[in-house]
Amino acid sequence: MWYNVDVRGQETSVSSRTSQANRADQTGERVEIYDTTLRDGSQGEGVNFSLEDKIRIARKLDEFGMDYIEGGWPGSNPKDIEFFERMKREPLHHSKLAAFGSTRRPARKAADDELIRMLVDADTPVVTIFGKSWDFQVTHALKVELPENVEMIHDTVAFLKSRVGEVVYDAEHFFDGYKHNPDYAVECVKAAWDAGASILVLCDTNGGTMPYEIGDILRELRDRLPEARLGIHTHDDAACGVANALSAVRAGAVHVQGTVNGYGERCGNANLMPIIANLRLKLGYECLRPDSLTHLTGLSQFVDEVANLTPNSRQAYVGRSAFAHKAGVHVDSIMKHSRTYEHVSPECVGNTRRMLVSELSGGSTIVSKARKYDLDLNKKSPQTRALLKRVAELEHEGYSFEGAEASFELLLMQTAGSYRKLFNVDGFRVIVEKRGDGEPITEATVKIRVDGQERLTVAEGDGPVHALDSALRKALMEFFPELCDIRLTDFKVRVVNVREGTAAKVRTIIDSTSHERTWSTVGVSTNMIEASWHALVDAVAYGLVIRDS
Ligand SMILES: [Zn+2]
């Protein structure tokens, strides 16, 4: 393979690393990855994890091979206390679990601060403490004298170090503080180091620092505190979260904090998905387990699903569109050699290449799709031409296969004669009833046939599409029990020819998932429910086609 997962020694990374001293590389130290999806990530707008969600994600991160998992802030809410209670009973296998909290409150001892006690009670191998390093924040937000803040850091870290295996120190607003008063910022982190912190994690809390500033400040700090191990925690407010983390690693950081898919307050935390991929594939560092990288896309999808958030299809490396090719000329070249339009192979991050079907694409797209099903088509064959013609007709009617490859693949299999229809749909009926101020009730009836046996089933749902989905599944489940694994995850409706007013057609796209595979199907009609029905039937048919692959 021309671009292997392990590219240490590849030309580009060698030349870029030899030009600059690099500590992780010089010492042979690997870069540690610290996930804070469950703490900092859960502070993002629209992210709400239940206790069970948190446990599922922690297990998944553990299985993935994450070095550290920050589980929450026991002092901030009862759910996090309960989370740590549960984790005591079912410990992680690989990752180190961290409880997060702040330095002790002013004018008391860490040993007497009940919030610090709660961190000890969480009984985790690691406690992460954040403290202030910006003089302005100390005097204006914390409202204590500058030396008192330094004492709070030292006392808190020293006390916890005597009770907990490892103390990570997060220096909040470090870069802003350093720019404002470098001596004080250094004094603060030095206090944590002297008190026994295993690492000093420099935080760009407001997310506004530029990558070159991060590198410069890291290098200066290394000169001033050569004995300390340094880490980085960045935010994406200037769209530099990932770049800043990488810049810090190149300047000597050996520990990177971030979240899955970049969840987090405001614009989010640094996204660990591209950080992990870039560290391994571009910068040539060792991090996580050798096999972790191939599970990156699966992890990203899993967390979006648990969080019930629509995945960002344009996300680097792991997004659905990350390896999607549309223009005919690109598809043509990609099939000759994937390197022509891809910077790495999709397989190395667990993603897949997609050839998008649209009027822009030519025979190459169809030929490449056909290969997936062992169908022998070539660009000039009559079947390929017939299919292109059919796609053009359907697109004229309002279909778009660009975001609905599953419907396209069904069409392809039908044209090639390789599709065996497993069920027939005879019809459906949907009733929506609303009385007074009550919630509307939706009921759907569907009639299907499987091997000559007819079934008529009724189901209720939250709206017509959900009711139809439930009724269709209920009818088919008896014949295909594996349908219980397929879930409808997203549903989009768009008006496609607005100019024709009332006769406008709607296009419905339905996303479905099963065992970390997702697919999309499309339906078009002047009636929104009928459009959804077409997309639903395709979704189930496709789910049955791929169940064994
Ligand atoms: Zn943060």
Side-chain angles (χ1 to χ4, degrees):
M1 200 161 77
W2 60 271
Y3 37 64
N4 205 297
V5 172
D6 290 304
V7 290
R8 289 181 79 89
Q10 205 188 9
E11 290 162 71
T12 49
S13 47
V14 168
S15 57
S16 59
R17 280 185 289 134
T18 45
S19 62
Q20 199 151 38
N22 184 313
R23 201 163 58 140
D25 199 49
Q26 283 166 357
T27 59
E29 225 171 332
R30 60 198 281 283
V31 177
E32 298 167 348
I33 307 291
Y34 181 109
D35 179 275
T36 178
T37 307
L38 299 177
R39 203 273 307 167
D40 224 356
S42 72
Q43 291 171 22
E45 185 173 7
V47 182
N48 289 299
F49 295 129
S50 67
L51 176 62
E52 291 306 320
D53 293 341
K54 291 188 74 159
I55 289 168
R56 285 180 70 198
I57 291 174
R59 298 252 165 267
K60 189 74 176 180
L61 290 167
D62 187 35
E63 190 186 302
F64 174 74
M66 192 58 72
D67 294 315
Y68 294 85
I69 300 171
E70 191 170 84
W73 186 344
S76 73
N77 65 75
K79 184 165 67 190
D80 285 4
I81 296 176
E82 216 183 320
F83 171 81
F84 289 109
E85 283 302 318
R86 283 278 294 273
M87 297 312 282
K88 282 181 205 172
R89 298 199 292 273
E90 314 154 44
L92 299 173
H93 299 292
H94 171 91
S95 314
K96 292 193 232 176
L97 186 64
F100 178 86
S102 146
T103 48
R104 69 155 165 82
R105 280 167 289 180
R108 71 183 75 186
K109 289 270 158 252
D112 303 330
D113 188 323
E114 65 272 28
L115 291 176
I116 303 290
R117 284 272 163 204
M118 286 169 109
L119 288 170
V120 177
D121 291 345
D123 199 17
T124 50
V126 180
V127 166
T128 299
I129 281 296
F130 81 93
K132 306 241 178 264
S133 19
W134 185 0
D135 56 1
F136 168 77
Q137 284 271 342
V138 175
T139 48
H140 286 74
L142 202 57
K143 295 194 187 311
V144 302
E145 296 298 317
L146 296 181
E148 166 72 355
N149 175 55
V150 176
E151 179 47 33
M152 283 159 61
I153 296 169
H154 189 279
D155 179 30
T156 309
V157 174
F159 171 75
L160 285 167
K161 183 63 195 152
S162 70
R163 306 289 152 106
V164 179
E166 181 177 352
V167 182
V168 169
Y169 183 70
D170 275 12
E172 196 190 21
H173 294 298
F174 180 80
F175 296 93
D176 295 316
Y178 190 91
K179 283 191 244 174
H180 206 250
N181 183 346
D183 290 341
Y184 185 70
V186 174
E187 195 185 337
C188 291
V189 291
K190 187 174 184 306
W193 184 256
D194 291 344
S198 67
I199 192 143
L200 305 176
V201 183
L202 313 174
C203 305
D204 183 29
T205 310
N206 296 358
T209 310
M210 292 291 113
Y212 53 88
E213 297 175 304
I214 299 266
D216 289 348
I217 293 175
L218 252 288
R219 278 184 285 272
E220 281 180 39
L221 184 64
R222 276 178 54 198
D223 289 341
R224 297 177 73 153
L225 280 181
E227 67 282 14
R229 290 178 77 236
L230 303 179
I232 186 77
H233 174 119
T234 54
H235 279 259
D236 209 30
D237 299 73
C240 291
V242 172
N244 282 348
L246 298 179
S247 183
V249 169
R250 282 178 54 80
V254 293
H255 167 118
V256 178
Q257 298 192 349
T259 60
V260 175
N261 300 331
Y263 293 177
E265 234 159 331
R266 308 182 308 273
C267 309
N269 281 60
N271 186 348
L272 284 181
M273 305 295 96
I275 288 176
I276 293 166
N278 286 331
L279 283 175
R280 288 273 294 268
L281 300 171
K282 307 289 176 163
L283 280 74
Y285 285 101
E286 275 182 37
C287 69
L288 303 176
R289 284 198 309 244
D291 67 321
S292 298
L293 197 60
T294 53
H295 297 286
L296 202 63
T297 303
L299 174 68
S300 162
Q301 289 172 354
F302 176 87
V303 174
D304 272 338
E305 200 171 299
V306 174
N308 199 19
L309 292 175
T310 309
N312 171 7
S313 66
R314 281 191 291 273
Q315 191 180 159
Y317 292 103
V318 297
R320 280 196 85 201
S321 306
F323 299 93
H325 305 280
K326 179 167 164 184
V329 57
H330 285 205
V331 172
D332 221 27
S333 308
I334 276 281
M335 284 179 66
K336 289 181 189 127
H337 206 305
S338 53
R339 198 175 186 172
T340 50
Y341 288 99
E342 285 173 358
H343 69 127
V344 297
S345 78
E347 296 80 25
C348 68
V349 288
N351 207 338
T352 41
R353 179 174 301 127
R354 291 163 64 226
M355 304 298 179
L356 302 179
V357 183
S358 81
E359 49 213 331
L360 287 183
S361 53
S364 298
T365 310
I366 287 172
V367 173
S368 88
K369 293 252 181 202
R371 273 188 201 161
K372 202 170 148 189
Y373 296 93
D374 295 329
L375 303 175
D376 192 20
L377 291 187
N378 70 55
K379 255 162 90 174
K380 305 217 161 46
S381 80
Q383 280 168 319
T384 306
R385 287 177 187 283
L387 189 58
L388 274 175
K389 189 164 164 270
R390 182 75 188 125
V391 168
E393 284 165 9
L394 287 168
E395 286 193 336
H396 186 71
E397 281 174 36
Y399 275 81
S400 163
F401 293 100
E402 209 181 294
E405 311 93 281
S407 286
F408 174 76
E409 285 172 21
L410 288 173
L411 201 63
L412 170 76
M413 287 183 271
Q414 281 158 15
T415 313
S418 66
Y419 177 64
R420 192 171 75 85
K421 211 170 185 180
L422 294 167
F423 63 94
N424 285 289
V425 286
D426 290 343
F428 70 84
R429 182 174 62 209
V430 176
I431 302 166
V432 182
E433 186 181 344
K434 181 170 170 78
R435 293 187 180 207
D437 294 333
E439 289 289 313
I441 297 166
T442 314
E443 186 187 284
T445 310
V446 307
K447 197 171 172 186
I448 57 130
R449 267 176 302 120
V450 181
D451 294 334
Q453 299 183 63
E454 199 178 278
R455 290 290 180 277
L456 184 72
T457 55
V458 184
E460 285 186 339
D462 309 323
V465 179
H466 183 227
L468 274 174
D469 180 48
S470 306
L472 180 61
R473 233 171 259 266
K474 206 164 138 190
L476 289 169
M477 203 79 88
E478 175 192 340
F479 305 98
F480 311 105
E482 58 273 35
L483 280 175
C484 66
D485 296 328
I486 301 177
R487 290 200 305 110
L488 187 158
T489 52
D490 201 9
F491 167 72
K492 291 177 230 95
V493 180
R494 175 162 298 175
V495 176
V496 281
N497 52 345
V498 209
R499 274 186 220 137
E500 287 176 35
T502 49
K505 283 185 177 170
V506 290
R507 178 165 64 222
T508 301
I509 301 256
I510 284 180
D511 294 344
S512 306
T513 180
S514 171
H515 298 117
E516 292 180 11
R517 278 183 82 156
T518 57
W519 62 93
S520 308
T521 49
V522 60
V524 172
S525 167
T526 48
N527 181 305
M528 198 201 94
I529 296 175
E530 196 200 7
S532 309
W533 171 249
H534 288 313
L536 267 178
V537 170
D538 267 11
V540 171
Y542 188 80
L544 291 173
V545 167
I546 59 162
R547 63 195 152 159
D548 304 318
S549 62

